[in-house]
Amino acid sequence: MLINAKELDYSALNQKIREADGDCNISECLGQRFIGAGMSDKHIEISGIPGNAMGAYLNGAEITVNGNAQDAVGDTMNNGKIVIHGSVGDAVGYAMRGGKIYVKNNAGYRAGIHMKEYKEKKPVMVIGGRTGSFLGEYQAGGLIIILGMNKGQTPTVGNFPCTGMHGGKVFLRGDVNGITLPKQVSVRAATNEDIMEIKPYINEFCRLFGFEQEKIMSEKFTVIFPDSKNPYKQMYVQN
Amino acid sequence: MGISYIYPEFEVVRNTARCIGCRVCEKQCANGVHLFDPELGCMTADDAKCVDCQRCVALCPTRALKIIKNDCTFRENANWQADTIKEIYKQAESGGVLLSSMGNPKPLPVYWDKILINASQVTNPPIDPLREPMETRVFLGKKPSTIERKADGSLKTELAPQLELSMPVMFSAMSYGSISYNAHESLARAAKELGIYYNTGEGGLHEDFYCYGENTVVQIASGRFGVHEEYLSTGAAIEIKMGQGAKPGIGGHLPGTKIVGDVSRTRMIPEGSDAISPAPHHDIYSIEDLRQLVFSLKEATNYKKPIIVKVAAVHNIAAIASGIARSGADIIAIDGFRGGTGAAPTRIRDSVGIPIELALAAVDQRLRDEGIRNNVSLIAGGSIRSASDIVKAIALGADACYIATSALIALGCHLCRTCQTGKCNWGIATQRPELVKRLNPDIGSERLVNLLTAWRHEIMELMGGMGINSIEALRGNRLMLRGINLTEKELEILGISHAGE
């Protein structure tokens, strides 16, 4: 179903999406928030720029944005897929519990913070460019993959990544030179096993955005992972 | 390791003439206080491990036991009291942050005890709840501020979503993980039977309890544990936890040792992994950001659920509440500084935040002054101990009250304040199966229903005495209250006159 978002506010737009029988193609999107919140059974394609909290609590639906998206994309997402043919704002994938987010270019601050996993339910986020500061704070699970393409001389991630990280993995393409990490995480060059773990997602990233997988995989990857699942264990005394 | 400077706080007194050596005390104590000595042929006790939870006392078949405060004291010193000295010893030994549980035990003013309730005499007769109908039902949610009519002149009757409570009480948030499965089941079943609500806390909702969804408030906090679409749509309302009275300004931290089995599955994090809820929601730095979270939840649940925003009572609570009332939230829950907790740093629990009585009065007044009181309902929590506390809270401006410590006491909690150890002998604040099974949900839910049924009767009697026959007519009715032993400033903030005025 074609939906022209012009002059629709977010609740009217979301109502139309909810009522639509099948997939939705939204044109002239201009900052409407919460698109697809909690939805489970649709493919939503968006032309224009969706507003904050797109795909919040997403529960299996798929959203494709033909351009940039704003803050809080995929907040507390449970399942499904979000594909951004551009860049995203801050806090993408906050507390994501499942599903996949692919961003062609850059992400803002606080990407992937509080990401979780449980058994086979493992969220994945792939960012093609670089991210701002506070990447993966409090990460408790899942995979965050930052490819750092077209980053120029700037580091792949901004300041203070992985503070409070106690689960999951962050993959950075290239090394971590110039990036200061907290003491409760460890760093290693990606092993074959690590590479096998991310390969399917790199593959899908390339397929979605038309990159060459070989070229991306030709560079080395670095893995950041937590030292301990209990980073604050020693801090307390019973009173 | 050197010697410990801390002498045991309690003394286990065993009447050997009554003790029959049945070893029940030994089996009941998860702290390992009691031990049968085969050489001596009698029971012994390690006082240092005792937390004064009274489990052994209650179960001793011959009443042979009592736990008393140890009278071995430091030299008296009004400035350096025993607790202060012991805390320094503990920190000097460990280098750790002091961690406590349950509410603030310090002798700070309890304003409920300095507020007195009115009764009718002669000119405005009291109402006898035995023969007159009394309405204790309340509806929580946004109320229309004006009467609107449709084109044909008929009234517009669509209301924002409301929570209907048979009486103005709800069980406040306690997560599965901080308390046991059986404690949650007791709360859920009691809430259903009473026609009120219990609250999941930030631990997700166990799959067995989805059937109580109509009586469940689901909570989301900064860690977003156990939050997904089905969770949101199952609850009757959604609570965004911004703060907690026992620990304003900091987050929550459930240690990995408590993330076992079902708790791990319900929170959707691996076993043994810490569950960290940071102090801030990292996507909320302003009222506008809060509004975004509120409306993302409304969109995800198609505007069918009221949204509660819970905050701790802090210094600028009136201004904060005013912001929340403009954020699109339907209900504001304010948690005073005596509110309980499964674990909080001692220094924060005991010295951060303000009493609920002052916070509630200030918020109600501010919202009225700004003409936005009907935008939201107010829930007051943070040590509501009785039916009269509830009546006073409602007269100060609350729509309903949250209770948690009272509910746990009804379930058997003896306020030993060691929830953080996970060794609750009463089966409440523990995940150890052998301890959890001590709390029978059949009995637990019945005790909760008994407590609140009794409180409802007391509320009706107190209201009847005032000549008031519905909670609605009591709400914000501060003329029904008088202060005793309060300063002019305190009376001014509470918005009440002194007794005799």
Side-chain angles (χ1 to χ4, degrees):
Chain A
M1 184 176 150
L2 288 171
I3 301 172
N4 188 313
K6 198 174 181 182
E7 290 173 15
L8 289 181
D9 71 3
Y10 63 75
S11 59
L13 176 57
N14 254 331
Q15 192 59 33
K16 276 189 183 250
I17 300 171
R18 270 194 291 269
E19 284 165 6
D21 231 359
D23 295 348
C24 296
N25 205 322
I26 300 169
S27 61
E28 296 194 72
C29 190
L30 192 63
Q32 286 93 345
R33 295 180 169 189
F34 318 121
I35 293 175
M39 289 184 195
S40 53
D41 58 351
K42 285 188 168 61
H43 184 271
I44 302 168
E45 187 166 339
I46 301 169
S47 296
I49 300 188
N52 290 354
M54 185 192 78
Y57 322 102
L58 198 71
N59 198 28
E62 293 190 13
I63 304 180
T64 302
V65 181
N66 298 319
N68 299 329
Q70 298 188 331
D71 295 346
V73 166
D75 182 352
T76 322
M77 173 172 172
N78 186 46
N79 207 351
K81 188 157 83 175
I82 296 178
V83 178
I84 313 282
H85 289 265
S87 293
V88 291
D90 296 342
V92 56
Y94 183 141
M96 195 180 168
R97 314 152 30 94
K100 289 177 270 185
I101 296 179
Y102 293 98
V103 178
K104 184 179 180 187
N105 299 327
N106 301 330
Y109 283 7
R110 306 191 297 279
I113 66 176
H114 257 299
M115 231 184 187
K116 303 176 175 32
E117 69 180 56
Y118 183 70
K119 295 191 172 164
E120 69 289 345
K121 204 168 166 66
K122 200 178 245 191
V124 178
M125 183 160 74
V126 187
I127 310 285
R130 65 183 300 275
T131 77
S133 299
F134 314 110
L135 169 77
E137 267 189 347
Y138 304 102
Q139 191 184 350
L143 294 177
I144 300 177
I145 304 165
I146 314 293
L147 300 178
M149 293 188 290
N150 306 320
K151 68 186 173 76
Q153 295 305 307
T154 49
T156 316
V157 301
N159 297 323
F160 312 113
C162 306
T163 309
M165 179 182 193
H166 54 292
K169 286 179 189 170
V170 172
F171 283 79
L172 299 181
R173 188 161 155 268
D175 53 35
V176 290
N177 291 343
I179 299 169
T180 310
L181 292 162
K183 64 176 194 288
Q184 77 274 34
V185 301
S186 298
V187 179
R188 66 166 180 248
T191 61
N192 276 343
E193 210 169 288
D194 292 327
I195 296 294
M196 291 311 287
E197 192 178 2
I198 62 167
K199 217 166 183 176
Y201 310 114
I202 303 287
N203 185 358
E204 187 166 12
F205 179 89
C206 292
R207 203 162 41 74
L208 287 165
F209 301 124
F211 289 99
E212 282 176 47
Q213 185 171 341
E214 275 176 22
K215 201 172 157 195
I216 288 177
M217 300 304 282
S218 65
E219 203 166 326
K220 285 198 164 31
F221 280 80
T222 305
V223 188
I224 305 166
F225 57 99
D227 261 350
S228 152
K229 281 196 286 190
N230 312 100
Y232 300 118
K233 200 177 177 179
Q234 301 303 326
M235 278 179 57
Y236 297 112
V237 55
Q238 310 287 352
N239 185 34
Chain B
M1 193 175 148
I3 53 164
S4 172
Y5 292 177
I6 298 171
Y7 198 76
E9 192 174 355
F10 307 106
E11 191 177 338
V12 179
V13 180
R14 192 184 317 270
N15 183 336
T16 48
R18 287 188 177 188
C19 179
I20 53 173
C22 67
R23 300 175 72 168
V24 163
C25 49
E26 187 184 358
K27 291 184 201 99
Q28 289 293 327
C29 186
N31 296 304
V33 171
H34 303 280
L35 204 66
F36 183 75
D37 187 325
E39 281 181 23
L40 296 173
C42 67
M43 296 302 301
T44 59
D46 181 352
D47 294 345
K49 292 177 179 164
C50 180
V51 298
D52 195 14
C53 76
Q54 303 269 327
R55 179 75 185 179
C56 57
V57 173
L59 269 82
C60 176
T62 58
R63 300 243 183 280
L65 283 168
K66 65 177 175 179
I67 310 294
I68 58 170
K69 192 171 182 214
N70 200 317
D71 57 8
C72 170
T73 56
F74 296 114
R75 184 168 182 183
E76 265 183 43
N77 188 325
N79 181 29
W80 293 97
Q81 298 205 0
D83 283 350
T84 311
I85 297 171
K86 285 181 187 172
E87 283 166 355
I88 288 181
Y89 287 156
K90 285 178 189 174
Q91 294 194 289
E93 280 174 21
S94 68
V97 167
L98 296 165
L99 192 70
S100 294
S101 45
M102 296 314 288
N104 189 337
K106 298 283 181 193
L108 291 152
V110 178
Y111 286 94
W112 302 131
D113 296 339
K114 298 181 177 197
I115 296 174
L116 301 169
I117 299 170
N118 193 29
S120 303
Q121 301 292 301
V122 188
T123 53
N124 175 21
I127 301 168
D128 183 352
L130 289 176
R131 59 185 282 269
E132 306 278 349
M134 301 287 280
E135 186 59 90
T136 59
R137 219 169 18 150
V138 291
F139 292 87
L140 304 184
K142 203 180 291 290
K143 306 292 188 298
S145 46
T146 53
I147 292 172
E148 289 182 53
R149 289 180 187 279
K150 295 176 192 161
D152 64 0
S154 62
L155 284 175
K156 279 190 184 172
T157 55
E158 297 83 25
L159 278 178
Q162 306 280 323
L163 285 182
E164 182 181 341
L165 285 69
S166 66
M167 62 185 288
V169 180
M170 299 161 80
F171 298 127
S172 61
M174 291 177 279
S175 70
Y176 174 47
S178 73
I179 59 170
S180 66
Y181 178 97
N182 286 3
H184 252 223
E185 183 176 343
S186 302
L187 290 165
R189 283 167 56 178
K192 188 177 168 120
E193 190 171 336
L194 289 160
I196 60 168
Y197 301 85
Y198 85 110
N199 188 313
T200 61
E202 197 201 8
L205 180 58
H206 191 285
E207 59 205 17
D208 295 352
F209 302 146
Y210 273 75
C211 55
Y212 301 106
E214 285 177 10
N215 297 91
T216 305
V217 173
V218 294
Q219 193 181 66
I220 90 166
S222 62
R224 304 277 206 276
F225 294 107
V227 179
H228 49 92
E229 201 277 332
E230 195 189 354
Y231 171 78
L232 298 176
S233 56
T234 298
I238 301 168
E239 179 170 88
I240 300 171
K241 179 193 175 187
M242 299 302 303
Q244 181 178 344
K247 40 183 169 179
I250 68 163
H253 176 200
L254 192 65
T257 49
K258 290 191 184 179
I259 310 285
V260 291
D262 281 2
V263 176
S264 152
R265 186 163 76 246
T266 306
R267 292 192 181 221
M268 297 286 289
I269 50 170
E271 291 208 2
S273 177
D274 281 9
I276 301 171
S277 294
H281 287 247
H282 284 280
D283 53 352
I284 301 180
Y285 295 164
S286 66
I287 293 294
E288 289 75 15
D289 289 348
L290 175 65
R291 186 179 176 81
Q292 180 175 309
L293 185 63
V294 166
F295 278 90
S296 78
L297 291 165
K298 289 188 179 217
E299 278 292 337
T301 52
N302 205 5
Y303 296 87
K304 287 180 184 147
K305 318 274 181 191
I307 308 291
I308 306 171
V309 173
K310 177 179 176 178
V311 282
V314 290
H315 300 181
N316 292 321
I317 188 66
I320 293 162
S322 167
I324 298 170
R326 295 162 200 278
S327 75
D330 299 278
I331 300 164
I332 304 176
I334 307 166
D335 197 14
F337 81 149
R338 287 190 305 269
T341 173
T346 310
R347 295 292 168 248
I348 287 174
R349 182 194 65 177
D350 293 355
S351 46
V352 181
I354 64 170
I356 184 60
E357 302 92 327
L358 301 177
L360 170 62
V363 167
D364 180 66
Q365 192 57 51
R366 177 72 169 259
L367 298 184
R368 283 171 196 274
D369 290 348
E370 294 183 358
I372 53 174
R373 180 63 183 83
N374 284 336
N375 278 12
V376 285
S377 292
L378 289 180
I379 306 174
S383 194
I384 300 285
R385 306 158 302 167
S386 65
S388 58
D389 284 359
I390 291 171
V391 167
K392 290 168 189 174
I394 289 170
L396 279 183
D399 290 85
C401 292
Y402 260 152
I403 65 164
T405 302
S406 314
L408 296 189
I409 293 172
L411 291 176
C413 168
H414 280 57
L415 277 181
C416 73
R417 311 202 304 256
T418 50
C419 318
Q420 75 273 28
T421 63
K423 292 193 279 194
C424 176
N425 279 319
W426 294 92
I428 300 168
T430 180
Q431 301 305 323
R432 295 189 182 187
E434 74 278 13
L435 300 177
V436 172
K437 74 178 183 197
R438 292 178 183 179
L439 175 61
N440 179 336
D442 291 339
I443 297 168
S445 58
E446 190 188 333
R447 291 177 65 91
L448 290 167
V449 170
N450 284 345
L451 175 75
L452 289 186
T453 305
W455 281 15
R456 182 162 177 267
H457 279 290
E458 290 174 337
I459 291 170
M460 289 196 292
E461 285 198 336
L462 285 163
M463 288 202 312
M466 288 180 271
I468 286 172
N469 62 6
S470 90
I471 288 281
E472 285 293 317
L474 177 63
R475 177 157 54 85
N477 192 343
R478 299 189 195 186
L479 289 172
M480 292 297 134
L481 303 177
R482 290 290 187 274
I484 187 105
N485 279 337
L486 292 174
T487 64
E488 273 191 35
K489 191 70 190 175
E490 289 168 322
L491 292 167
E492 179 195 321
I493 295 165
L494 290 165
I496 61 175
S497 300
H498 200 275
E501 279 187 295

